[in-house]
Every structure is written in structure tokens, then in C-alpha cells.
Amino acid sequence: MEYTLVKKLFPICRSITGNGVRKSLNILQEHIPLEIHEVPTGTNVFDWKIPKEWNIRDAWIKDPDGNKIIDFKQNNLHVLNYSTPVSKNIPLQELKEHLYTLPEQPDLIPYRTSYYSEKWGFCLSHNQFQQMKEGDYEVFIDSDLSEGSLTYGEFYIKGKSEKEVLISAHICHPSLANDNLSGIAASVSFAKSLLQQELQYSYRFLYIPGTIGSITWLAQNEGKLINIKHGLVLSCVGDSAGFTYKKSRKGNSETDRIVQKVLSEKERSHDVREFIPYGYDERQYCSPGFDLPVGCLMRSHFGEFPEYHTSADNLDFVKPEALQDTVELLKNITEVIEGNRIYINQNPKGEPNLGKRGLYSKTGGMQMTGSRKMAILWVLNLSDGNHSLLDIAERSGLPFHEIRDAANSLLGVGLLKEANKD
Ligand code: ZN
């Protein structure tokens, strides 16, 4: 499902505003009942203002012989995203000031934007650029920048508690697959899976344009931020590299600990990075006025893979298995978020007699294995009201699910009681 969604979204020309975003959100609505918000041009959001809305219909360059050499309809990366309209004949020398290429990667078309300064331009491969001969070229961009709105999608799943988990993906890139259709598709698939479950936490999914979108959402929802206990920005999660987790600004939030624990359990190859104030929307969620526990989950780290922000970040670069495995990881992370509790051992003076409670030889019909026995002993020993199951899983080195299962067995025979909830 995830890959099919990436494929369907791929051809659409998106930007930070405009019909490409609306069309993409409408496609997501075929999977989850998300709400679409429109915030008018000119609205103040903290230190920013919602920009004019950009829409594009067509764009091309014709060479001196009248051949169309660049065509937006062949690849929407060819247009500098947010280009103002243009229609004129100009000599090559002048045209060159409006062309963007990648001399180091001469076969690829770069992805370039100009959201906050009004100009026009085209992106093309350096090889094609070098073949352009002297003469007058006809340039045409049929776009408009006008009063409109910024569009974003939001999907909220109510759990038993008000406490919530925020999952955020940017939706402003045109035909780029890993950055960030992969994050959108993984997020939608994960959201769908949660609809089948009874949840302790509430979950909020945001599909927003980068930077201005998260700033807009934060500005309009400041009162809700107190509820955010966990958060992940999803980006570049569809390529075949191992996972990269960039920690929240806090560095040791429960989210940071849970993601690291889950990544280490299944021997998934991974890399953990400290927070830096550069990257995706975690920059806004982790700005000092909010300091939310929001990390960023990636596979290849943005900016560090050669396909990044080029035409090589295409449908071949993203793998269906990688997308599925990302969704699996998100489910594993949720199991820990949902299952983490603090308990108190009801028989703390000496070890309780597990044999007479049927816990030493058999548990729920299952033979006691070595690690299962250790999990029971660890839970009993550390459940003094000061250690969560996550603390116990970290300290024992056992997988969280084994600690959770052991706690369930001990609860079943009355040896544990849940500590007062906060
Ligand atoms: Zn990007």
C-alpha cells in the first residue's frame, strides 16, 4: 500500500501552497479521514506571514530553432519551485542567470525553490546545459502568485488519554520520492493501522508544508502542545539504507529512549544522531519556546545521499520493503509508548514464591524460558514505583515486549500494582 501511494503522489507538482498540496491531501483522504485546513495569505504566524498561494499550469523553454528543450510536463523539477510567470524571448547569456544545474552530478536535474524572493527559473541537467547553443530562447512559465491560502492536513485519533503522540511529515516537495513521499506514505499506513486498535494515547498526524506549515500549526494550536508527550518527524524513510534517528532537543526524552531501544532490539542497522537546529520540522517543534519531545526518523540522512534533492530521488530509489519495514518500526515504537507503565511489587520482602503461583514452571501454558524468567525477576526487583518498564528493559537489556509480558503475568497473579498515574 505504501509504495502504491508514493507512486500515485509522485507526478503531482507540490509546493508550500497551491493545488498540488490539495490534490495530494485529497488522495490521502482515500485512506484516512483527514481534515483539510486552509489558512489565508497574510495571516501572521509568529514571526512569519502566510505567503501568496502559488499555482502552475505549464512551463517550457524553446531553443533558437523552436524546439521545446525543457518541458515542465516531462518533469516538474524543471521549474524553480514558486517561479513567477514569464513569457519572452531572451539571449542565452541572459537566460543563464535563470538556470540551475548540478555540475558535480551532470545527469541529474536539481530541485530548487524560491519561496520568499520573487523570481523565475528553470532547473536542468548540466549535460543538457552544456549543449545549449548561442541564440535567442523563448521562455514560458504559466504560473501565478496570488491571494489564497496555505493548505495542510490533520488527522487526530482519540485515545483513552488526552496525552498525545505527534507524527509530522512535510508535503511541499514536488516529484521527489524519498524526500518526502516516503514519510507521507509511511505515516498514512501507520495511521490506518492504529484505527484497528484500542489506544491509550491520542495520535495526531500532520501533513504540512515544511517550516511555514509547522510554524502555522504551532501558532494556531499552542494550547494543545501541553498534551504532546511523544513526537516524530518522518522523512526519507523509503530508501534501502538502515535507520537514522535524530534525537529531540531534550536529548533524553522518553521518545528518544524508546526509539533507540526499539532500533537496537531487532538488530536493525541504525545510526543515532544528536539534535542540531537544522533539518526538517523538528527544528520548529524543538525551538526553545516549545522544546517538544520530537525527534526525526529517517533512513538515509537528508543531504547525505547523492540522490537528495535531485531527479534521482525517484520511484526506483524508494523500495516497497523499506517502506513496509518503516511502518513496522513505527508499530514497534507504539507498542512501547502504549505499554510503558510504572508498577509496584506487592511482595517486596524477599522474592515471592513464584512456583506456588504457577509462574516458575509455566506461564499461560507456555514453558518458562531463560529470558522469560529473567524478565520476571527484573520486573519484580525494579518495580518499586520509581522505575518504568522502559527503565527495566534498558537496564536488563531484554526486549521491551518480554518485560511487558512478564509484567502482565505478574499482574495476573496480583504481584504488581500500577503506581499512581501522573
Ligand atoms: Zn527536502
Side-chain angles (χ1 to χ4, degrees), residues 111 170 172-173 176 179-180 235-236 280 302-303 308-309 313:
Y111 161 57
H170 61 275
C172 51
H173 287 29
L176 296 169
D179 178 16
N180 185 47
S235 184
C236 304
Y280 293 108
F302 68 87
Y308 177 74
H309 282 188
D313 183 358

Side-chain angles (χ1 to χ4, degrees), residues 48-111:
W48 299 61
K49 227 184 228 329
I50 302 297
K52 287 180 185 165
E53 180 177 326
W54 184 69
N55 283 294
I56 181 159
R57 290 159 290 276
D58 199 6
W60 43 257
I61 300 177
K62 283 184 183 167
D63 70 9
D65 302 323
N67 303 310
K68 207 180 263 190
I69 53 160
I70 300 286
D71 188 354
F72 165 79
K73 288 182 175 161
Q74 296 291 317
N75 192 324
N76 59 39
L77 296 179
H78 276 314
V79 167
L80 174 73
N81 201 285
Y82 247 66
S83 273
T84 51
V86 64
S87 178
K88 61 178 175 183
N89 286 294
I90 54 170
L92 180 63
Q93 273 325 102
E94 198 186 318
L95 174 58
K96 278 185 175 172
E97 290 164 26
H98 297 272
L99 300 181
Y100 301 85
T101 71
L102 290 168
E104 309 285 300
Q105 294 169 290
D107 295 330
L108 306 180
I109 308 165
Y111 161 57

Side-chain angles (χ1 to χ4, degrees), residues 15 38 51 65 67 108 121 169 172 192 200 226 231 240 313 316 318 357 379:
S15 185
E38 299 279 356
D65 302 323
N67 303 310
L108 306 180
C172 51
K192 238 174 149 172
Q200 196 62 38
I226 184 95
S240 37
D313 183 358
D316 295 328
V318 163
R357 293 176 172 89
V379 172

Side-chain angles (χ1 to χ4, degrees), residues 66 141 199 215 225 262 265 279 375:
I141 298 178
L199 298 163
I215 289 174
L225 305 184
V262 172
E265 278 177 6

Side-chain angles (χ1 to χ4, degrees), residues 282-295:
E282 69 281 4
R283 289 157 68 165
Q284 313 310 329
Y285 302 126
C286 294
S287 56
F290 302 123
D291 200 14
L292 296 172
V294 178

Side-chain angles (χ1 to χ4, degrees), residues 164-185:
E164 66 179 65
V165 180
L166 177 73
I167 305 290
S168 179
H170 61 275
I171 190 158
C172 51
H173 287 29
S175 291
L176 296 169
N178 201 31
D179 178 16
N180 185 47
L181 297 179
S182 66
I184 297 166

